[in-house]
Amino acid sequence: MEPSLSRIGLAGLAVMGQNLALNIADKGFPISVYNRTTSKVDETLDRARNEGNLPLTGHYTPKDFVLSLKRPRSVIILVKAGSPVDQTIAALSDYMEPGDTIIDGGNEWYENTERRLHEVSQKGILYLGMGVSGGEEGARNGPSLMPGGSYQAYLNIEEIVKKVAAQVEDGPCVTYIGEGGSGNFVKMVHNGIEYGDMQLISEAYDVLKNVGGLSNVELAEIFSEWNKGELESFLIEITADIFKVKDEHGEGELVDKILDKTGMKGTGKWTVQQAAELSVAAPTIAASLDCRYLSGLKEEREAAAEVLEAAGLKEEVGTVRSGIDKKRLIDDVRQALYASKICSYAQGMNLLRAKSVEKGWDLNFGELARIWKGGCIIRAVFLDRIKKAYQRNPNLASLVVDPDFAKEMVQRQAAWRRVVGLAISAGISTPGMCASLSYFDTYRRARLPANLVQAQRDLFGAHTYERIDRPGAFHTEWTKLARKGDTHVAALN
């Protein structure tokens, strides 16, 4: 008797792939799995047995794998971004038919997805690039899913992804994002926001520890407390946990023994590059990327500390710390973190909007905030407020000017300025908080000193300028006039 066909297939069984496959099987959808290294297939089969005899079958050749699927077939691939994806598509698509669907669940550059979408469409195959967030835990128990590409392809798997995604009170954390590579792009920006969030939290930690003199035990308590209020989020929750873990190889907590060098995979860099391409200011995300680069220069930083100390630089932390009201500092840092975070999310949303306009994706920002409320790394209670802000006004220019968020920024700005000022006077760098604050201060000012920059550009490059009191473009012979005392302006028509 023929074994019955699976509802969906998954190729690529590293940790994320295994966990997502088991999640799908757990939700009652029979699934076929395949991996080039056969031991991974066996490992996944073992897990499926041990985790509840889940309806999962293993296959050892691309042909057997594809032919084990119900038509129209849907195959998720979770392999390393770049050429491994192309190789996997080539191996599988030989056995696929028009109407079948390929879903790439990796962190892929969105233009690669658009190229592949076009290539496989020549064979009549449908394609989705689907961002998957939540790490291995999310993949197994409910990730946030961001599928973009063929809408028909999405409809083919909608029933599955809605059950597999994280569930929040207003539905599953998945939605059809839009055409082309929009799903990958949204996931990329999600990761950029995540960089900003992590940087801001590390700065809050730095100020509390070094200016406030707080112990890890106190920090764990503070972050646990913060996680009950407006800052409630996955990253705040795990931060509280990190401070509690003791070092098994010595005294104290493990966090203090970790080398201060940050790794990165590239999505944060792509986000900042895209922001520059689209002329969108994303200073908080850029600052977090710069900090990762600077953290990598561990030896140079140690040498710099010695050279500058020898040159007479004195640590100001002690002086600043002596006059500190701890309770107030903790509350100020909480407010500064929240206000900085709003700016970081505003930058991410503005980048998404600019791309959506450029590509005609018609992204729904309220929906994006909603699907990020569960499953993903940046999941946070305040995403619900972002969702509501975009529901009130889908054309919101910036989160900073949503009436609710505007009130919150105004209420928190005194605390925010105190924290940044304190950090600066103590010589503790807070690049993310400073970037957020200067973003806020630049964006809210009706007039900036850009008039002087424009005058400089006109002087040395005849770039012309506009005036605030009359229409048209103007050019002035600045140097001649400055040195003559003559005030003749040539109007350009």
Side-chain angles (χ1 to χ4, degrees):
M1 198 180 118
E2 273 293 288
S4 60
L5 299 175
S6 295
R7 173 74 176 80
I8 191 166
L10 189 145
L13 298 172
V15 179
M16 285 292 284
Q18 283 190 25
N19 281 357
L20 192 60
L22 292 162
N23 181 352
I24 292 169
D26 219 351
K27 299 298 185 295
F29 299 103
I31 182 169
S32 297
V33 300
Y34 164 73
N35 195 78
R36 262 196 351 197
T37 317
T38 56
S39 60
K40 291 280 182 207
V41 178
D42 296 332
E43 205 177 290
T44 312
L45 285 169
D46 283 343
R47 283 189 62 190
R49 265 193 301 276
N50 297 334
E51 294 178 26
N53 280 322
L54 304 175
L56 182 144
T57 54
H59 301 270
Y60 299 91
T61 67
K63 183 178 181 181
D64 288 348
F65 169 63
V66 172
L67 296 181
S68 72
L69 304 175
K70 240 192 215 115
R71 284 190 289 207
R73 305 181 183 94
S74 298
V75 176
I76 299 172
I77 52 182
L78 268 169
V79 297
K80 215 169 134 71
S83 61
V85 178
D86 293 300
Q87 289 157 10
T88 307
I89 291 171
L92 300 177
S93 61
D94 277 351
Y95 306 102
M96 295 177 80
E97 297 167 61
D100 289 352
T101 296
I102 293 174
I103 304 112
D104 175 16
N107 267 335
E108 188 54 274
W109 174 237
Y110 84 100
E111 289 180 332
N112 286 341
T113 292
E114 301 196 331
R115 167 178 62 78
R116 291 171 186 139
L117 201 148
H118 179 71
E119 286 169 1
V120 301
S121 71
Q122 313 294 314
K123 298 184 176 180
I125 295 172
L126 310 176
Y127 199 85
L128 285 174
M130 181 170 74
V132 178
S133 179
E136 43 193 89
E137 171 70 20
R140 181 63 184 85
N141 299 312
S144 174
L145 299 172
M146 297 156 245
S150 153
Y151 185 57
Q152 182 53 53
Y154 173 72
L155 293 179
N156 290 348
I157 60 161
E158 184 176 40
E159 177 198 11
I160 300 175
V161 290
K162 281 188 162 172
K163 283 222 170 72
V164 163
Q167 308 291 319
V168 291
E169 74 282 352
D170 43 9
C173 293
V174 60
T175 190
Y176 173 69
I177 302 287
E179 299 285 318
S182 59
N184 296 111
F185 196 91
V186 166
K187 172 64 163 71
M188 174 197 82
V189 173
H190 160 288
N191 287 21
I193 293 172
E194 180 186 305
Y195 272 53
D197 259 359
M198 292 167 76
Q199 176 64 27
L200 292 169
I201 291 170
S202 76
E203 293 173 16
Y205 154 65
D206 200 4
V207 171
L208 292 174
K209 178 185 172 176
N210 291 305
V211 182
L214 275 73
S215 68
N216 289 327
V217 173
E218 292 173 300
L219 286 165
E221 263 172 49
I222 288 160
F223 276 87
S224 298
E225 196 50 47
W226 285 356
N227 198 44
K228 294 178 187 146
E230 61 188 17
L231 286 171
E232 185 189 322
S233 62
F234 173 68
L235 285 168
I236 295 285
E237 179 191 338
I238 66 168
T239 302
D241 287 341
I242 287 168
F243 293 125
K244 294 176 189 158
V245 176
K246 297 263 179 256
D247 179 21
E248 47 188 19
H249 300 292
E251 290 295 297
E253 286 78 27
L254 177 58
V255 68
D256 296 324
K257 309 287 168 66
I258 295 177
L259 182 69
D260 49 320
K261 271 173 87 162
T262 315
M264 69 197 97
K265 286 277 174 52
T267 43
K269 180 169 111 181
W270 292 346
T271 305
V272 175
Q273 286 171 328
Q274 278 296 299
E277 290 281 326
L278 291 156
S279 310
V280 172
T284 312
I285 299 172
S288 67
L289 186 67
D290 287 338
C291 275
R292 291 197 182 192
Y293 295 147
L294 284 166
S295 79
L297 306 177
K298 176 69 172 169
E299 293 73 21
E300 280 183 46
R301 287 187 289 114
E302 288 176 333
E306 281 176 29
V307 170
L308 290 162
E309 195 181 338
L313 183 74
K314 298 210 177 7
E315 280 290 352
E316 298 296 335
V317 174
T319 329
V320 174
R321 188 188 291 180
S322 58
I324 281 296
D325 169 352
K326 256 183 168 180
K327 212 172 159 59
R328 175 161 164 197
L329 177 69
I330 292 165
D331 197 58
D332 279 356
V333 171
R334 174 184 59 79
Q335 296 187 57
L337 179 54
Y338 187 81
S340 300
K341 212 169 137 85
I342 292 173
C343 291
S344 185
Y345 281 71
Q347 293 159 29
M349 289 304 197
N350 287 357
L351 173 53
L352 287 170
R353 191 182 57 221
K355 196 67 178 182
S356 182
V357 168
E358 183 200 67
K359 303 284 287 183
W361 282 338
D362 197 20
L363 297 178
N364 179 334
F365 307 109
E367 267 292 272
L368 296 184
R370 184 190 70 74
I371 68 167
W372 288 344
K373 279 170 57 179
C376 69
I377 304 300
I378 64 172
R379 63 183 181 265
V381 162
F382 104 133
L383 279 155
D384 197 56
R385 325 268 292 276
I386 296 181
K387 180 190 86 171
K388 292 190 169 107
Y390 283 109
Q391 283 174 338
R392 279 192 289 276
N393 178 7
N395 301 315
L396 187 63
S398 168
L399 286 175
V400 174
V401 295
D402 167 74
D404 280 13
F405 280 124
K407 259 199 221 82
E408 303 199 313
M409 301 295 276
V410 172
Q411 285 161 359
R412 286 164 182 73
Q413 63 160 349
W416 194 8
R417 291 179 199 286
R418 280 196 296 270
V419 170
V420 167
L422 201 63
I424 288 172
S425 59
I428 300 281
S429 57
T430 50
M433 285 185 184
C434 288
S436 279
L437 182 56
S438 52
Y439 177 77
F440 175 70
D441 280 338
T442 307
Y443 188 66
R444 71 179 174 78
R445 287 179 68 197
R447 185 158 171 88
L448 291 170
N451 51 322
L452 179 60
V453 176
Q454 205 48 21
Q456 291 168 338
R457 293 181 73 238
D458 187 51
L459 183 150
F460 64 67
H463 291 293
T464 77
Y465 57 89
E466 294 174 80
R467 292 182 56 112
I468 54 179
D469 54 357
R470 59 188 63 175
F474 298 86
H475 170 56
T476 298
E477 297 285 339
W478 297 89
T479 311
K480 205 151 85 190
L481 297 177
R483 294 179 189 172
K484 250 194 196 157
D486 180 18
T487 51
H488 173 69
V489 173
L492 291 181
N493 298 321

